[in-house]
Amino acid sequence: MKPVYTRIAGTGRGLPDKILTNQDLEKMVDTTDEWIRSRSGIERRHIAADNETNLDFCELAARNAMQAADVGPKDIDLVIVGTTTPDQVFPNMGCLLQRRLGIHGCAAFSLEAACTGFIYALDIADKFIRTGSAKCALIVGGETLSRMTDWTDRSTCVLFGDGAGAVVLEPAAKPGILSTHLHADGKYADLLFFPSGVSKKPKDFYARRDFIHMKGSEVFKVAVTKLGEIVVEALEANDLPPEKLDWLVPHQANLRIIEATARKLKMPMEKVILTVQDHGNTSTASVPMALDVAVRDGRIQRGQTILLEAFGGGFTWGAALIRY
Ligand code: UT7
C-alpha cells in the first residue's frame, strides 16, 4: 500500500470588525502606545462585539477555508476546534460548528491546549488522515480572549485579541505535513492560567467571575527557551538545515519572542510571517490566521517549506514542519 500523507488544501480566517488600538487602550488603563509596541510589538487587535461569539469567527474562518479548498459540507468527515473560549461547555465547539455549516454525522470535538491548540489539532488530524480514518478534515483555532480579560489590568489587557483561523486537510501522495512535535509540562501551570472551571466550586457561587492571570516575564523566558528547542527538534527530525526553510509562521504572542526564535534559526525577519501588530495575541487562532494572511497575500506559495510553532498555557508547546 502506498503511504498516505496530509496536505493543506485551503486556509481561512474570521475576525471581528471592531478594532481596539493602543491609543484606545491609553484611555482605558495606565499605559502608552510606546510601551505596548516596544514590549510586545502589538499596535491593534480585533475585539468581538457584544452580540458576537467565538463560533461566529470559527464559522467565517471555516467557510473561507472550505471555499479555498473547494470542498462542501458533505466532503468534511472530521471537525476539530482548538479553543479555550468555547461558546458553551457542551455541545462542544466542533458540534456547534457542524450545525452552523450543515455537516452531519462525522466526528467533531473541541480540543483545549491553550495557544498550542491548533498545532495539537493539526497533529491529531494528520494521524486521522494518514491512517485512512478521515479524508477531509476541517481544523479550526478560534478564541474570544477578550471575554476572559480583566480590562482594568494593564499587564494583560493590552496583549490579547479575538479571531479564528482554519485549514482544510486532505490526503496526498507526497507530504504535506512532514512532521509534528507536541510537548507539555504541567509544572508551569501557575504562570499562566484562567482559574475557574465548572467543577471548582467558588466561595461565592453566584458571583463566579474570573480573568486570565499571567506572570509575563517568567512566561517570556520559558517561551523563548522551549520555542528555541522545538524549532530545532522539528528541523533535526527532518534533517533539514534552517536555510532550507522558506517561512516561519510563529505563534503571535510577542514580537521579541518571535525575534528570538528567528535568531535561533538564523532566519532574517523577512522570512517570518508577522501579524502580532494587527491581531495581538489570539492564542490558538494566531498561527492559522497568520498562515492564511500569508497564503492570501501570495507570500506563501505551493511547494514551499514552512515551520509553524506555538507556545501557551499549561505550558504546552508544539511545532509542525510543512511543505505547503
Ligand atoms: O501566548 C503565550 C503566552 N504568553 C506569552 O508568551 C507572553 C509572554 N510575556 C510577554 O510577552 C511579556 O512579558 C509582556 C509583554 C507581558 C511584558 O513585558 P516585560 O518586558 O516582561 O515587562 P514586565 O512584565 O517585566 O513589566 C515591566 C514594567 C513593570 O513596571 P516596573 O515593575 O518595572 O515598575 C510593569 O508594571 O512594565 C510595567 N507594565 C506596564 N507599563 C505600561 C506592565 N504592563 C504595562 C502596560 N503599560 N500595559
Side-chain angles (χ1 to χ4, degrees):
M1 221 171 74
K2 281 191 189 151
V4 176
Y5 298 99
T6 308
R7 70 183 276 269
I8 295 178
T11 66
R13 67 183 188 277
L15 282 155
D17 290 335
K18 185 177 158 189
I19 291 174
L20 189 71
T21 63
N22 291 353
Q23 288 72 21
D24 295 329
L25 280 160
E26 285 177 345
K27 295 179 200 132
M28 292 162 63
V29 287
D30 180 16
T31 193
T32 59
D33 172 51
E34 203 284 324
W35 190 95
I36 304 171
R37 273 177 201 252
S38 62
R39 298 294 175 120
S40 72
I42 300 167
E43 296 170 24
R44 61 192 73 79
R45 70 286 291 144
H46 293 248
I47 300 291
D50 289 350
N51 62 348
E52 289 175 318
T53 72
N54 189 1
L55 187 60
D56 295 323
F57 312 123
C58 290
E59 179 187 354
L60 187 56
R63 287 190 188 281
N64 287 333
M66 287 165 66
Q67 191 177 40
D70 197 21
V71 300
K74 286 198 175 68
D75 299 309
I76 304 287
D77 59 3
L78 174 68
V79 181
I80 312 178
V81 179
T83 188
T84 49
T85 49
D87 281 34
Q88 39 195 91
V89 174
F90 67 88
N92 73 61
M93 285 289 277
C95 296
L96 296 175
L97 187 60
Q98 271 187 322
R99 180 166 69 173
R100 284 275 180 99
L101 297 172
I103 298 169
H104 306 284
C106 69
F109 58 95
S110 305
L111 184 157
E112 200 278 281
C115 306
T116 320
F118 177 77
I119 306 282
Y120 270 61
L122 201 66
D123 172 277
I124 292 166
D126 178 41
K127 291 178 168 94
F128 267 78
I129 288 185
R130 284 196 287 114
T131 55
S133 301
K135 294 234 163 338
C136 188
L138 174 63
I139 308 303
V140 186
E143 297 286 13
T144 39
L145 291 184
S146 63
R147 303 288 199 246
M148 39 162 77
T149 299
D150 177 353
W151 290 99
T152 65
D153 174 8
R154 69 175 184 171
S155 72
T156 53
C157 76
V158 302
L159 302 173
F160 302 117
D162 301 334
V167 296
V168 170
L169 301 175
E170 287 179 344
K174 288 190 294 185
I177 296 180
L178 294 157
S179 67
T180 50
H181 306 265
L182 304 184
H183 293 280
D185 195 336
K187 81 175 178 195
Y188 298 108
D190 294 337
L191 296 185
L192 175 57
F193 60 97
F194 181 78
S196 62
V198 179
S199 182
K200 272 203 282 183
K201 193 169 183 193
K203 281 198 189 75
D204 186 351
F205 190 72
Y206 291 99
R208 187 199 301 258
R209 192 76 191 101
D210 264 324
F211 303 109
I212 295 175
H213 296 249
M214 181 167 75
K215 293 188 175 132
S217 57
E218 290 173 60
V219 176
F220 187 99
K221 283 180 213 144
V222 187
V224 168
T225 306
K226 297 298 180 194
L227 289 170
E229 286 168 9
I230 202 155
V231 291
V232 171
E233 179 184 324
L235 293 179
E236 283 183 356
N238 293 278
D239 212 5
L240 193 84
E243 57 273 19
K244 289 273 167 68
L245 274 179
D246 292 299
W247 298 103
L248 175 67
V249 183
H251 174 46
Q252 312 280 328
N254 185 311
L255 180 59
R256 290 181 294 143
I257 297 176
I258 297 172
E259 285 170 343
T261 310
R263 266 197 305 278
K264 179 93 188 169
L265 293 169
K266 298 191 176 62
M267 273 182 99
M269 287 305 285
E270 297 75 52
K271 290 171 86 175
V272 179
I273 306 300
L274 289 178
T275 54
V276 66
Q277 69 284 357
D278 297 324
H279 296 167
N281 181 350
T282 58
S283 181
T284 190
S286 89
V287 168
M289 288 208 290
L291 180 68
D292 183 59
V293 164
V295 165
R296 284 175 193 268
D297 70 20
R299 276 178 291 171
I300 291 183
Q301 301 278 329
R302 287 286 173 200
Q304 289 185 330
T305 307
I306 303 157
L307 183 56
L308 315 179
E309 48 87 331
F311 176 92
F315 288 146
T316 57
W317 62 102
L321 191 69
I322 286 170
R323 186 137 308 128
Y324 181 65

